[in-house]
Structures are given as C-alpha cells and as structure tokens.
Amino acid sequence: MERRSGPSSLPLATFDAHDLALDLSYARKILEQVNLGASFKYLYEKIDISSAAGFSLDLGGIYFLKNWEFGASVLNLGPKMKFNTEKFNLPTQFRAGVVHFMPQKIAQGDFKVSLDVVKTKGDKWKLNTGGEYGWEEKIFLRVGYKTEYEETNFSFGTGVKYKIYSIDYAFVP
C-alpha cells in the first residue's frame, strides 16, 4: 500500500499489512443428539510498523431432532487487543440457527432449508436464510438471502462431490 501524508501524485513510501489467525479446535458428541465444540484462536495483525496480537475462544453446539438441527455459537470471546496505545474489543458474535431436512425426495434429491440470526456486538441483528438441493449426494445447488447487509443480500452456489473430494463455488456479490 502507498503511504501519503496528503493528496499528492507520488507516494512517500510503501508499506504492507498482514492478518493471521491460527485455530486449535476440538469437537465431541456428548449425547446421541448433542455435539459441542470449541476453538482456541491466536490472532495477529500488522499494518506498517504497528501490530496487535491476542487470543480468543469460539464455542458452539448442535442439537439433532429428527429432520431438524438446532445450533448456537458465540465467537471471538476474549480480552481486548492493543494497536500501539489504542485498545479495541474483538467483534464478539452470537449466532443461532435451524436447518430442516425435507423428509420427501424431490427429483431423486434431498432438499434442506435453513434460517439463522446473527448479532455482532455493536451491530444490528441480521437474518440469513438459504436452501440446498442435493441430487444423489453428488451435485448440489444452493441459494441464500441475508438481511441488514449494505454490500450484498443474495447469493447462490453449486458443488460437486466425488467420494471424499468436493469442489464448491459460491457467488456472493
């Protein structure tokens, strides 16, 4: 990136920026219908000669009930990070969602719909919804819609799976 002290045709110098997040995660089925997981994260950010480092924790769980899955998570729990002398909070986020797997097949394929709510500290509640059609667990078509986002709201994608390999594509304007 170019460093400037004001409007000019020539930059004073250049500098770079780096972000790093390393996760160590663990998940376990604690009951037949309940899975819980946690991730411990090391975070590092550097812009020019200034840097910040810290740690955070993500916690989440899923409850399975027939053709339904209910999930909840809290992300970025941790102490403030510090850039030079300025401290800032991590963007703590709360998420809750539900997925329904349609019991009947549609053209030899499975269909599921999802809905989740997202609340990031200091931001509005956001609602996300989507659907996925999977033909014989090999070809997938996906569509999604998000509310309260300035840049984008509609997305779609596709995926192909062969044995343990998969390729996925998503278009998110």
Short mmCIF file of all heavy atoms in Angstrom, two decimals, residues 114-154:
data_model
loop_
_atom_site.label_atom_id
_atom_site.label_comp_id
_atom_site.label_asym_id
_atom_site.label_seq_id
_atom_site.Cartn_x
_atom_site.Cartn_y
_atom_site.Cartn_z
N SER A 114 -32.62 -23.47 5.65
CA SER A 114 -32.00 -23.02 6.90
C SER A 114 -32.37 -21.57 7.18
O SER A 114 -32.71 -20.80 6.28
CB SER A 114 -30.48 -23.16 6.83
OG SER A 114 -29.96 -22.31 5.83
N LEU A 115 -32.28 -21.23 8.45
CA LEU A 115 -32.55 -19.88 8.91
C LEU A 115 -31.66 -19.64 10.11
O LEU A 115 -31.56 -20.49 11.00
CB LEU A 115 -34.02 -19.76 9.33
CG LEU A 115 -34.47 -18.43 9.92
CD1 LEU A 115 -34.60 -17.39 8.81
CD2 LEU A 115 -35.79 -18.59 10.64
N ASP A 116 -30.95 -18.51 10.12
CA ASP A 116 -30.17 -18.18 11.31
C ASP A 116 -30.19 -16.69 11.57
O ASP A 116 -30.45 -15.89 10.68
CB ASP A 116 -28.76 -18.76 11.28
CG ASP A 116 -27.81 -18.09 10.31
OD1 ASP A 116 -28.26 -17.35 9.43
OD2 ASP A 116 -26.60 -18.31 10.43
N VAL A 117 -29.96 -16.36 12.84
CA VAL A 117 -29.86 -14.97 13.26
C VAL A 117 -28.43 -14.75 13.76
O VAL A 117 -27.82 -15.63 14.35
CB VAL A 117 -30.88 -14.61 14.36
CG1 VAL A 117 -32.29 -14.62 13.80
CG2 VAL A 117 -30.77 -15.52 15.56
N VAL A 118 -27.93 -13.55 13.48
CA VAL A 118 -26.55 -13.20 13.83
C VAL A 118 -26.57 -11.84 14.51
O VAL A 118 -27.21 -10.90 14.03
CB VAL A 118 -25.66 -13.13 12.56
CG1 VAL A 118 -24.24 -12.74 12.92
CG2 VAL A 118 -25.70 -14.42 11.78
N LYS A 119 -25.85 -11.76 15.63
CA LYS A 119 -25.73 -10.48 16.33
C LYS A 119 -24.26 -10.27 16.68
O LYS A 119 -23.69 -11.01 17.47
CB LYS A 119 -26.58 -10.49 17.61
CG LYS A 119 -26.42 -9.25 18.49
CD LYS A 119 -26.97 -8.02 17.84
CE LYS A 119 -27.05 -6.85 18.80
NZ LYS A 119 -26.24 -5.72 18.40
N THR A 120 -23.65 -9.28 16.06
CA THR A 120 -22.29 -8.90 16.38
C THR A 120 -22.37 -7.70 17.32
O THR A 120 -23.17 -6.79 17.11
CB THR A 120 -21.50 -8.53 15.10
OG1 THR A 120 -21.54 -9.63 14.20
CG2 THR A 120 -20.06 -8.19 15.42
N LYS A 121 -21.54 -7.71 18.35
CA LYS A 121 -21.55 -6.65 19.35
C LYS A 121 -21.43 -5.28 18.66
O LYS A 121 -20.55 -5.07 17.84
CB LYS A 121 -20.39 -6.85 20.32
CG LYS A 121 -20.44 -5.99 21.53
CD LYS A 121 -19.33 -6.38 22.49
CE LYS A 121 -19.39 -5.57 23.75
NZ LYS A 121 -18.32 -5.98 24.67
N GLY A 122 -22.37 -4.39 18.95
CA GLY A 122 -22.36 -3.05 18.37
C GLY A 122 -23.01 -2.96 17.01
O GLY A 122 -22.98 -1.91 16.37
N ASP A 123 -23.62 -4.04 16.52
CA ASP A 123 -24.23 -4.05 15.19
C ASP A 123 -25.69 -4.50 15.31
O ASP A 123 -26.12 -4.97 16.36
CB ASP A 123 -23.45 -5.00 14.27
CG ASP A 123 -23.69 -4.73 12.79
OD1 ASP A 123 -24.42 -3.78 12.45
OD2 ASP A 123 -23.14 -5.49 11.97
N LYS A 124 -26.44 -4.39 14.21
CA LYS A 124 -27.84 -4.80 14.19
C LYS A 124 -27.95 -6.32 14.16
O LYS A 124 -27.03 -7.02 13.77
CB LYS A 124 -28.52 -4.28 12.91
CG LYS A 124 -28.55 -2.80 12.74
CD LYS A 124 -29.18 -2.49 11.40
CE LYS A 124 -29.13 -1.01 11.11
NZ LYS A 124 -29.65 -0.70 9.78
N TRP A 125 -29.15 -6.81 14.51
CA TRP A 125 -29.47 -8.22 14.31
C TRP A 125 -29.59 -8.46 12.82
O TRP A 125 -30.15 -7.62 12.09
CB TRP A 125 -30.79 -8.57 14.99
CG TRP A 125 -30.69 -8.74 16.46
CD1 TRP A 125 -30.90 -7.77 17.41
CD2 TRP A 125 -30.31 -9.91 17.16
NE1 TRP A 125 -30.69 -8.30 18.66
CE2 TRP A 125 -30.34 -9.62 18.54
CE3 TRP A 125 -29.97 -11.21 16.76
CZ2 TRP A 125 -30.03 -10.55 19.50
CZ3 TRP A 125 -29.66 -12.15 17.74
CH2 TRP A 125 -29.69 -11.82 19.08
N LYS A 126 -29.07 -9.58 12.36
CA LYS A 126 -29.14 -9.92 10.94
C LYS A 126 -29.79 -11.29 10.80
O LYS A 126 -29.60 -12.16 11.65
CB LYS A 126 -27.74 -9.93 10.34
CG LYS A 126 -27.12 -8.54 10.38
CD LYS A 126 -25.72 -8.53 9.85
CE LYS A 126 -25.18 -7.10 9.95
NZ LYS A 126 -23.86 -6.98 9.42
N LEU A 127 -30.55 -11.44 9.74
CA LEU A 127 -31.27 -12.68 9.47
C LEU A 127 -30.75 -13.26 8.15
O LEU A 127 -30.67 -12.55 7.15
CB LEU A 127 -32.77 -12.40 9.38
CG LEU A 127 -33.67 -13.58 9.08
CD1 LEU A 127 -33.70 -14.53 10.27
CD2 LEU A 127 -35.08 -13.07 8.76
N ASN A 128 -30.39 -14.53 8.18
CA ASN A 128 -29.91 -15.22 6.98
C ASN A 128 -30.80 -16.42 6.72
O ASN A 128 -31.21 -17.11 7.66
CB ASN A 128 -28.48 -15.72 7.18
CG ASN A 128 -27.52 -14.62 7.59
OD1 ASN A 128 -27.63 -13.49 7.14
ND2 ASN A 128 -26.59 -14.94 8.44
N THR A 129 -31.09 -16.68 5.47
CA THR A 129 -31.87 -17.85 5.11
C THR A 129 -31.30 -18.45 3.84
O THR A 129 -30.63 -17.77 3.06
CB THR A 129 -33.36 -17.49 4.94
OG1 THR A 129 -34.10 -18.69 4.74
CG2 THR A 129 -33.59 -16.54 3.80
N GLY A 130 -31.52 -19.74 3.66
CA GLY A 130 -30.98 -20.38 2.47
C GLY A 130 -31.57 -21.74 2.25
O GLY A 130 -32.32 -22.28 3.07
N GLY A 131 -31.21 -22.31 1.11
CA GLY A 131 -31.66 -23.64 0.76
C GLY A 131 -30.60 -24.36 -0.04
O GLY A 131 -29.77 -23.73 -0.71
N GLU A 132 -30.64 -25.70 0.03
CA GLU A 132 -29.72 -26.51 -0.74
C GLU A 132 -30.45 -27.72 -1.28
O GLU A 132 -31.16 -28.42 -0.56
CB GLU A 132 -28.55 -26.98 0.12
CG GLU A 132 -27.58 -27.90 -0.64
CD GLU A 132 -26.50 -28.49 0.24
OE1 GLU A 132 -26.80 -29.50 0.92
OE2 GLU A 132 -25.40 -27.93 0.25
N TYR A 133 -30.27 -27.96 -2.58
CA TYR A 133 -30.79 -29.16 -3.22
C TYR A 133 -29.59 -30.04 -3.57
O TYR A 133 -28.64 -29.58 -4.22
CB TYR A 133 -31.57 -28.80 -4.49
CG TYR A 133 -31.98 -30.02 -5.28
CD1 TYR A 133 -33.05 -30.81 -4.86
CD2 TYR A 133 -31.28 -30.39 -6.42
CE1 TYR A 133 -33.42 -31.93 -5.58
CE2 TYR A 133 -31.64 -31.51 -7.13
CZ TYR A 133 -32.71 -32.28 -6.71
OH TYR A 133 -33.07 -33.40 -7.42
N GLY A 134 -29.62 -31.29 -3.12
CA GLY A 134 -28.52 -32.21 -3.40
C GLY A 134 -29.03 -33.41 -4.16
O GLY A 134 -29.83 -34.19 -3.65
N TRP A 135 -28.58 -33.55 -5.41
CA TRP A 135 -29.01 -34.67 -6.26
C TRP A 135 -28.07 -35.84 -6.04
O TRP A 135 -26.87 -35.75 -6.31
CB TRP A 135 -29.02 -34.24 -7.73
CG TRP A 135 -29.47 -35.33 -8.64
CD1 TRP A 135 -30.74 -35.78 -8.81
CD2 TRP A 135 -28.65 -36.09 -9.52
NE1 TRP A 135 -30.77 -36.77 -9.74
CE2 TRP A 135 -29.49 -36.99 -10.19
CE3 TRP A 135 -27.29 -36.11 -9.80
CZ2 TRP A 135 -29.01 -37.91 -11.13
CZ3 TRP A 135 -26.81 -37.01 -10.73
CH2 TRP A 135 -27.67 -37.89 -11.39
N GLU A 136 -28.60 -36.93 -5.48
CA GLU A 136 -27.87 -38.17 -5.21
C GLU A 136 -26.56 -37.93 -4.45
O GLU A 136 -25.58 -38.63 -4.65
CB GLU A 136 -27.62 -38.94 -6.50
CG GLU A 136 -28.90 -39.43 -7.14
CD GLU A 136 -28.66 -40.37 -8.30
OE1 GLU A 136 -27.50 -40.63 -8.67
OE2 GLU A 136 -29.67 -40.85 -8.85
N GLU A 137 -26.53 -36.92 -3.61
CA GLU A 137 -25.35 -36.57 -2.81
C GLU A 137 -24.10 -36.39 -3.65
O GLU A 137 -22.98 -36.62 -3.20
CB GLU A 137 -25.12 -37.60 -1.71
CG GLU A 137 -26.26 -37.65 -0.70
CD GLU A 137 -25.97 -38.56 0.47
OE1 GLU A 137 -24.81 -38.70 0.85
OE2 GLU A 137 -26.94 -39.14 0.99
N LYS A 138 -24.29 -35.92 -4.91
CA LYS A 138 -23.16 -35.69 -5.81
C LYS A 138 -23.13 -34.28 -6.37
O LYS A 138 -22.07 -33.70 -6.52
CB LYS A 138 -23.21 -36.69 -6.98
CG LYS A 138 -22.99 -38.12 -6.56
CD LYS A 138 -23.09 -39.05 -7.74
CE LYS A 138 -22.95 -40.48 -7.24
NZ LYS A 138 -23.37 -41.45 -8.21
N ILE A 139 -24.28 -33.74 -6.68
CA ILE A 139 -24.38 -32.40 -7.27
C ILE A 139 -25.29 -31.56 -6.39
O ILE A 139 -26.39 -32.00 -6.03
CB ILE A 139 -24.92 -32.46 -8.72
CG1 ILE A 139 -23.95 -33.26 -9.59
CG2 ILE A 139 -25.11 -31.06 -9.27
CD1 ILE A 139 -24.46 -33.51 -10.99
N PHE A 140 -24.83 -30.35 -6.06
CA PHE A 140 -25.56 -29.50 -5.12
C PHE A 140 -25.81 -28.13 -5.73
O PHE A 140 -24.92 -27.56 -6.36
CB PHE A 140 -24.76 -29.34 -3.82
CG PHE A 140 -24.48 -30.66 -3.14
CD1 PHE A 140 -23.34 -31.37 -3.44
CD2 PHE A 140 -25.38 -31.17 -2.22
CE1 PHE A 140 -23.09 -32.59 -2.83
CE2 PHE A 140 -25.13 -32.37 -1.61
CZ PHE A 140 -23.99 -33.10 -1.92
N LEU A 141 -27.00 -27.61 -5.51
CA LEU A 141 -27.37 -26.25 -5.90
C LEU A 141 -27.78 -25.52 -4.63
O LEU A 141 -28.54 -26.06 -3.81
CB LEU A 141 -28.52 -26.25 -6.89
CG LEU A 141 -28.25 -26.99 -8.20
CD1 LEU A 141 -29.53 -27.06 -9.03
CD2 LEU A 141 -27.14 -26.31 -8.98
N ARG A 142 -27.28 -24.28 -4.46
CA ARG A 142 -27.53 -23.54 -3.23
C ARG A 142 -27.98 -22.12 -3.53
O ARG A 142 -27.54 -21.51 -4.52
CB ARG A 142 -26.26 -23.50 -2.38
CG ARG A 142 -25.76 -24.87 -2.02
CD ARG A 142 -24.43 -24.79 -1.28
NE ARG A 142 -23.93 -26.12 -1.04
CZ ARG A 142 -22.89 -26.68 -1.66
NH1 ARG A 142 -22.23 -26.00 -2.58
NH2 ARG A 142 -22.52 -27.91 -1.38
N VAL A 143 -28.80 -21.57 -2.64
CA VAL A 143 -29.24 -20.19 -2.76
C VAL A 143 -29.37 -19.63 -1.35
O VAL A 143 -29.69 -20.36 -0.41
CB VAL A 143 -30.57 -20.09 -3.55
CG1 VAL A 143 -31.69 -20.79 -2.82
CG2 VAL A 143 -30.92 -18.66 -3.86
N GLY A 144 -29.08 -18.33 -1.20
CA GLY A 144 -29.17 -17.71 0.11
C GLY A 144 -29.59 -16.26 0.03
O GLY A 144 -29.45 -15.61 -1.02
N TYR A 145 -30.11 -15.77 1.14
CA TYR A 145 -30.50 -14.36 1.23
C TYR A 145 -30.18 -13.86 2.63
O TYR A 145 -30.45 -14.54 3.63
CB TYR A 145 -32.00 -14.19 0.95
CG TYR A 145 -32.40 -12.75 0.85
CD1 TYR A 145 -32.17 -12.04 -0.32
CD2 TYR A 145 -32.96 -12.08 1.92
CE1 TYR A 145 -32.51 -10.70 -0.41
CE2 TYR A 145 -33.31 -10.75 1.84
CZ TYR A 145 -33.08 -10.06 0.67
OH TYR A 145 -33.41 -8.74 0.58
N LYS A 146 -29.57 -12.66 2.73
CA LYS A 146 -29.19 -12.06 4.00
C LYS A 146 -29.84 -10.69 4.12
O LYS A 146 -29.91 -9.96 3.15
CB LYS A 146 -27.66 -11.89 4.09
CG LYS A 146 -26.90 -13.17 3.90
CD LYS A 146 -25.41 -13.02 4.11
CE LYS A 146 -24.74 -12.12 3.14
NZ LYS A 146 -23.28 -12.10 3.26
N THR A 147 -30.27 -10.35 5.33
CA THR A 147 -30.84 -9.02 5.56
C THR A 147 -29.87 -8.17 6.38
O THR A 147 -29.01 -8.69 7.09
CB THR A 147 -32.17 -9.11 6.33
OG1 THR A 147 -31.92 -9.63 7.64
CG2 THR A 147 -33.18 -9.98 5.61
N GLU A 148 -30.02 -6.87 6.27
CA GLU A 148 -29.26 -5.88 7.04
C GLU A 148 -27.78 -5.79 6.67
O GLU A 148 -26.96 -5.36 7.46
CB GLU A 148 -29.39 -6.11 8.55
CG GLU A 148 -30.81 -6.02 9.07
CD GLU A 148 -31.45 -4.65 8.86
OE1 GLU A 148 -30.73 -3.63 8.84
OE2 GLU A 148 -32.67 -4.61 8.70
N TYR A 149 -27.42 -6.22 5.47
CA TYR A 149 -26.05 -6.05 4.97
C TYR A 149 -26.07 -4.98 3.89
O TYR A 149 -26.93 -5.00 3.02
CB TYR A 149 -25.50 -7.36 4.38
CG TYR A 149 -25.25 -8.44 5.41
CD1 TYR A 149 -26.28 -9.27 5.84
CD2 TYR A 149 -23.99 -8.62 5.94
CE1 TYR A 149 -26.05 -10.25 6.79
CE2 TYR A 149 -23.75 -9.60 6.89
CZ TYR A 149 -24.78 -10.42 7.30
OH TYR A 149 -24.55 -11.40 8.24
N GLU A 150 -25.12 -4.08 3.91
CA GLU A 150 -25.09 -2.99 2.93
C GLU A 150 -24.61 -3.45 1.56
O GLU A 150 -25.10 -3.02 0.54
CB GLU A 150 -24.20 -1.85 3.43
CG GLU A 150 -24.75 -1.15 4.65
CD GLU A 150 -23.82 -0.06 5.15
OE1 GLU A 150 -22.90 0.32 4.42
OE2 GLU A 150 -24.02 0.39 6.29
N GLU A 151 -23.60 -4.32 1.54
CA GLU A 151 -22.95 -4.67 0.28
C GLU A 151 -23.68 -5.75 -0.51
O GLU A 151 -23.63 -5.77 -1.72
CB GLU A 151 -21.51 -5.15 0.53
CG GLU A 151 -20.61 -4.13 1.18
CD GLU A 151 -20.74 -4.12 2.70
OE1 GLU A 151 -21.16 -5.14 3.28
OE2 GLU A 151 -20.45 -3.09 3.29
N THR A 152 -24.30 -6.71 0.16
CA THR A 152 -24.86 -7.85 -0.54
C THR A 152 -26.05 -8.40 0.22
O THR A 152 -26.18 -8.19 1.42
CB THR A 152 -23.80 -8.96 -0.72
OG1 THR A 152 -24.35 -10.03 -1.47
CG2 THR A 152 -23.31 -9.48 0.60
N ASN A 153 -26.92 -9.10 -0.49
CA ASN A 153 -28.01 -9.79 0.20
C ASN A 153 -28.30 -11.15 -0.44
O ASN A 153 -28.63 -12.08 0.25
CB ASN A 153 -29.28 -8.94 0.27
CG ASN A 153 -29.71 -8.42 -1.07
OD1 ASN A 153 -29.31 -8.90 -2.11
ND2 ASN A 153 -30.55 -7.40 -1.05
N PHE A 154 -28.17 -11.29 -1.75
CA PHE A 154 -28.50 -12.52 -2.45
C PHE A 154 -27.21 -13.26 -2.83
O PHE A 154 -26.23 -12.64 -3.24
CB PHE A 154 -29.31 -12.20 -3.70
CG PHE A 154 -29.65 -13.40 -4.52
CD1 PHE A 154 -30.63 -14.28 -4.11
CD2 PHE A 154 -28.98 -13.66 -5.70
CE1 PHE A 154 -30.95 -15.40 -4.86
CE2 PHE A 154 -29.30 -14.77 -6.46
CZ PHE A 154 -30.28 -15.64 -6.05
#
